[in-house]
Amino acid sequence: MKRLVPVWSYSTGQVEGHQAPPIVNNGVMFISTPQNQVLALDAKTGNQIWQYKREFADDVQHPHPTNRGVALYGNRVYLATMDAHVVALDAATGKVVWDTKVDEYKNSYYFTLAPLIAKGKVMVGSSGGEFGIRGYVAALDVETGKEVWRRHMIPGPGEPGNESWPGDTWKTGGVSVWITGHYDPELNLTFWGTGNAGPWPADAHTGDNKHATSVVAIDPDTGEIKGSHQYHWNDNWDWDEVAAPLLIDVKRNGRSFKGLVHPGRNGYLWLLERKANSIDFIDGKPYVKHDVITGLEPKTGRPIYNMDKMLKIGKQVTFCPSHWGGKDWPPAAFNPKTRLLYIPLQQNLCTTLAGEAKIAPYAAGKRYVGTDASKTRVFPREGADHIGEVQAWDMDSGKLVWTYNFPDMNTNWGPLLTTGGGLVFGGGSADRKFRALDAKTGKLLWEFKTNSGITGVPSSYMVDGVQYIAVQSGWGVDTQKMVGRLNTSMKTDIVVPQGGVVWVFAVK
């Protein structure tokens, strides 16, 4: 591992959160950055081939200034944009082939996810839950860009589950879909994680709130919902569950089945079974210290709450894990050789939230959260000696195998990559380091300090017989907000410089 060194780097010219994976095809690397820039680079040398940068109207807001990747299909590159469009680019030149408006950005619909392509469809999900949107997944024809179907996550009148949204709350209840789904070709189903209901206080949207904080199975041909599982009902802790569960075949209690594995933002590790017409609960257990969910109903997995921890209008509440959860959006990784699931997470982290005394009526384009941000606190649990961790779980036995604790109270916002060579790569910390751990033991094998903090998804590729590891470094968005909150509560002064750089490593 000592011979793993940087072989080239490329400055993106952008600040804020660089979170997209470098994707390589036929020796060309495609990456997206904040400001909806797409770069095509020679994957061996780092030389630029072309650049696309979207031009925005002056009134386009960037509440989460990031983009989490592009999709490749045929000879095109597909990008979902901050002004709620999907763009198809020529992979050889970067020129626009088609550009489809999916929604109205003036109503605070925007896209930050990488598109998912399956069955001739380009599928995207909507961000904007903090502005009172009604979240959905939409599918466009991959050749023409014409919309084929749209499936809202909040059921409307006459749809199953609408009764779980009182009054007109279904119209502005949020439930964003801002992380890319996964596709199972055998079942011909796509699986999407969904966001929380809004405004946040529980009594602003009483009921279970069907399809909020859930995994939803959608037929890519029709947009029909074929099954769902709700990780927690009536969310009021901002525990989005938008990370799509990993599709893992699991062996449990002498039976093999098609699993869905999700380390939840609510701090529970979920094991579900995916079927053609249902998603069935198998198991769930906490992987971080928790004081909200006291247990799960054994047959359904429905959480049982400590009701004193419910955020309500005009009420202040403190709970653990924090509103950023045990694991936020950064993806976990599964290694089929070790049979271990690797989770990047925050341990020992808690939050105080205060519900507004009166929630203002919904207005398009304005925040619709229902909390007093000036009273939000994020702080370590008393006696905590660390925050960031990587955990490894054996999904067949359901047991924790090892834990790597980040030093110096660093948080961990690092997406993970695990390799066939037995390594786990990830960044995520304010010390700006990119690390490699032993996949079997969790031992730290290698680290490299980059220009900024890493919240990008690492990737591995090969050109001319040489294996490379690539990642984008570039701090911002919620990672920066968390460090700022901790600076206040811990009386520290941690500063992470911004600026996006693609780093590529190889063994020399």
Side-chain angles (χ1 to χ4, degrees):
M1 285 301 299
K2 293 181 179 179
R3 294 187 296 127
L4 186 66
V5 297
V7 292
W8 63 262
S9 62
Y10 185 95
S11 178
T12 69
Q14 300 296 321
V15 295
E16 271 295 349
H18 284 61
Q19 299 176 345
I23 299 178
V24 175
N25 184 50
N26 291 330
V28 179
M29 176 184 292
F30 301 93
I31 57 170
S32 64
T33 75
Q35 298 300 314
N36 287 159
Q37 175 183 235
V38 179
L39 297 167
L41 307 174
D42 185 308
K44 186 175 181 180
T45 66
N47 293 332
Q48 181 178 304
I49 299 171
W50 55 256
Q51 175 195 44
Y52 167 84
K53 188 174 180 182
R54 187 156 186 82
E55 295 183 5
F56 294 105
D58 292 340
D59 61 344
V60 173
Q61 299 183 38
H62 297 260
H64 284 82
T66 188
N67 185 273
R68 296 187 176 92
V70 298
L72 307 183
Y73 183 81
N75 60 354
R76 295 178 185 173
V77 180
Y78 296 84
L79 173 73
T81 72
M82 191 64 71
D83 55 353
H85 286 232
V86 175
V87 182
L89 307 174
D90 184 285
T93 65
K95 293 182 178 180
V96 175
V97 179
W98 54 255
D99 181 338
T100 297
K101 178 180 177 179
V102 181
D103 220 311
E104 178 53 67
Y105 71 81
K106 293 182 180 180
N107 293 332
S108 295
Y109 286 85
Y110 61 98
F111 298 144
T112 55
L113 81 175
L116 174 68
I117 298 180
K119 301 300 291 291
K121 315 288 192 308
V122 183
M123 287 166 276
V124 294
S126 56
S127 294
E130 66 274 38
F131 296 97
I133 68 162
R134 184 185 176 204
Y136 58 80
V137 176
L140 313 180
D141 183 273
V142 74
E143 296 296 335
T144 66
K146 182 179 179 180
E147 184 168 323
V148 180
W149 54 256
R150 181 178 302 217
R151 176 59 57 188
H152 285 96
M153 294 298 99
I154 303 177
E159 296 178 328
N162 176 256
E163 70 282 355
S164 67
W165 293 85
D168 288 337
T169 57
W170 64 274
K171 294 180 179 179
T172 55
V175 192
S176 299
V177 184
W178 47 269
I179 293 292
T180 311
H182 294 151
Y183 176 58
D184 182 340
E186 293 183 7
L187 293 178
N188 190 36
L189 290 175
T190 60
F191 296 89
W192 302 83
T194 69
N196 58 302
W200 294 359
D203 45 354
H205 49 85
T206 57
D208 281 10
N209 311 132
K210 182 76 169 178
H211 297 323
T213 55
S214 301
V215 53
V216 178
I218 297 179
D219 184 323
D221 293 318
T222 65
E224 181 182 356
I225 294 177
K226 293 290 190 176
S228 67
H229 173 83
Q230 189 168 51
Y231 299 114
H232 56 277
W233 48 277
N234 191 222
D235 177 87
N236 54 99
W237 307 278
D238 190 29
W239 287 337
D240 277 316
E241 298 296 355
V242 291
L246 282 75
L247 279 57
I248 301 173
D249 292 341
V250 176
K251 303 173 184 176
R252 182 71 67 93
N253 299 325
R255 183 174 75 94
S256 296
F257 60 91
K258 296 169 76 67
L260 293 172
V261 176
H262 176 63
R265 189 157 161 176
N266 65 15
Y268 267 63
L269 176 56
W270 299 88
L271 175 60
L272 312 171
E273 182 174 1
R274 64 189 196 274
K275 297 180 179 178
N277 292 291
S278 68
I279 297 175
D280 297 345
F281 171 73
I282 302 296
D283 186 31
K285 58 185 62 177
Y287 65 93
V288 298
K289 296 180 178 66
H290 212 299
D291 64 7
V292 174
I293 298 176
T294 61
L296 304 179
E297 294 181 0
K299 291 185 178 181
T300 64
R302 178 184 170 88
I304 302 165
Y305 296 152
N306 175 353
M307 301 304 288
D308 292 336
K309 297 294 183 177
M310 301 285 278
L311 175 69
K312 295 185 178 181
I313 297 170
K315 177 184 176 182
Q316 183 169 291
V317 66
T318 296
F319 56 92
C320 315
S322 81
H323 68 304
W324 279 301
K327 185 189 78 67
D328 203 283
W329 73 269
F334 176 73
N335 191 316
K337 290 187 176 181
T338 64
R339 297 292 301 168
L340 297 181
L341 173 78
Y342 305 99
I343 308 172
L345 60 99
Q346 323 288 354
Q347 188 69 270
N348 301 315
L349 205 57
C350 305
T351 285
T352 297
L353 292 178
E356 291 179 331
K358 183 179 181 180
I359 298 175
Y362 165 78
K366 293 186 178 181
R367 285 182 66 82
Y368 193 54
V369 175
T371 61
D372 184 345
S374 68
K375 296 180 181 179
T376 299
R377 293 182 60 240
V378 179
F379 53 93
R381 183 189 297 271
E382 186 176 353
D385 61 357
H386 73 282
I387 297 175
E389 291 183 8
V390 175
Q391 292 180 0
W393 286 77
D394 185 325
M395 292 311 302
D396 295 330
S397 67
K399 295 181 179 180
L400 177 65
V401 177
W402 57 254
T403 301
Y404 172 80
N405 296 341
F406 276 33
D408 304 322
M409 299 299 282
N410 271 290
T411 56
N412 181 9
W413 282 82
L416 296 180
L417 165 73
T418 182
T419 69
L423 300 173
V424 178
F425 286 94
S429 51
D431 59 16
R432 297 155 41 202
K433 291 182 178 179
F434 189 45
R435 295 177 172 88
L437 308 178
D438 185 293
K440 291 183 179 180
T441 66
K443 180 181 178 181
L444 177 65
L445 301 177
W446 172 88
E447 59 185 11
F448 179 89
K449 180 171 281 191
T450 69
N451 60 295
S452 183
I454 295 174
T455 60
V457 180
S459 63
S460 179
Y461 65 93
M462 181 176 286
V463 178
D464 294 338
V466 177
Q467 194 76 32
Y468 297 91
I469 300 293
V471 70
Q472 289 199 83
S473 179
W475 202 248
V477 200
D478 287 80
T479 55
Q480 185 175 13
K481 294 177 184 177
M482 178 183 280
V483 169
R485 297 280 188 189
L486 287 173
N487 276 338
T488 298
S489 64
M490 298 172 64
K491 296 180 171 56
T492 52
D493 188 26
I494 297 172
V495 177
V496 184
Q498 289 196 1
V501 173
V502 183
W503 290 90
V504 177
F505 302 87
V507 173
K508 287 289 188 179

